Amino acid sequence: MERPAWAPQGIDLTVPSVSRMYDYYLGGSHNFEVDREAGKRAMEAWPGLPKIVQANRAFMRRAIRFAIGEGVTQFLDIGSGIPTFGNVHEVALSAEASARVLYADNDPVAVAHSRAVLEDEDRADVVSADFRSPQDILCSAEVERLLDLERPVAVLLVAVLHFIEDKDDPWKTVREIGDALAPGSLLVVSHSSADEGPLRSVGDDVRDVYRQTSSPLITRSRSEIKQFFEGFDLVEPGVVPIPRWRPEDMPETEDPLLLSGYAGVGRKAGSVG
């Protein structure tokens, strides 16, 4: 297929990317035909999938506002994907002008587009790095310039851990990231699960689609997801279905589709400052 002018060289246009599929679900334009076809197959297996993506983004925005309300104004968004309207730096900076945001992603399209979006924004930046190599993020020049790890940071792992296989031990990586954070830092996680909702019946079909992408989809139980918060004290209401984490309003009826994942926020113990 023809390479779009905005696409960095070296990208394999024949392999779907989960970050570009996510962009497609959100109605973005930085995706390829192979991503759209994979996204359509996933939506055929799991109708309403974009609603889950939108629920994740809504949770992310609530968690950012919670962090700022707690006095945490530094954000590290790992597995950030392709910036779309209402992304972390827009939400954070609209709530607190002194906020600082660093994105990290290993998808060249996500990184290139992030750099273009952030070109004139000195309070936000992006680093090309993989969650599985946390020191490449924590020791980067971008972290040194933008974030003060001696002060609390909110680390966002929103809809990313379910693309990390058990063999890569994501729990160990999250602990390594947590060890580098100051007391009072926050860990923000959302993760797909087949405990409740339609993934219990269609999970195999959805996972088959993602096995053909750059990252397979790994669903985990609530107890497995809670283990990511080792070393952090969960804030109320704990690890709950995504729309139930501090909703701005409670709908009269709850869409069962939105019960296909869990979300939570933890605070690193210890005295601040």
Side-chain angles (χ1 to χ4, degrees), residues 64-65 67-75 88-101 121 123 151:
I64 292 168
R65 289 192 287 266
I68 288 176
E70 295 292 301
V72 180
T73 60
Q74 301 187 104
F75 297 87
V88 178
H89 72 283
E90 294 177 335
V91 178
L93 291 171
S94 68
E96 174 51 64
S98 67
R100 296 293 183 268
V101 176
E121 179 52 76
R123 296 167 293 180
R151 295 175 47 241

Side-chain angles (χ1 to χ4, degrees), residues 16 20 22 48 60 63 93-94 119 128 145 148 183 204 218 234 252 264 269:
R20 298 193 305 265
Y22 200 86
M60 179 195 76
L93 291 171
S94 68
E119 185 176 9
S128 176
R145 180 184 77 80
D148 179 2
D204 288 343
I218 312 296
L234 282 166
E252 292 184 8

Side-chain angles (χ1 to χ4, degrees), residues 36-56:
R36 294 188 286 274
E37 288 302 318
K40 290 173 185 174
R41 291 197 302 275
M43 287 189 289
E44 287 173 3
W46 191 6
L49 178 55
K51 284 187 177 182
I52 288 287
V53 173
Q54 292 160 9
N56 263 292

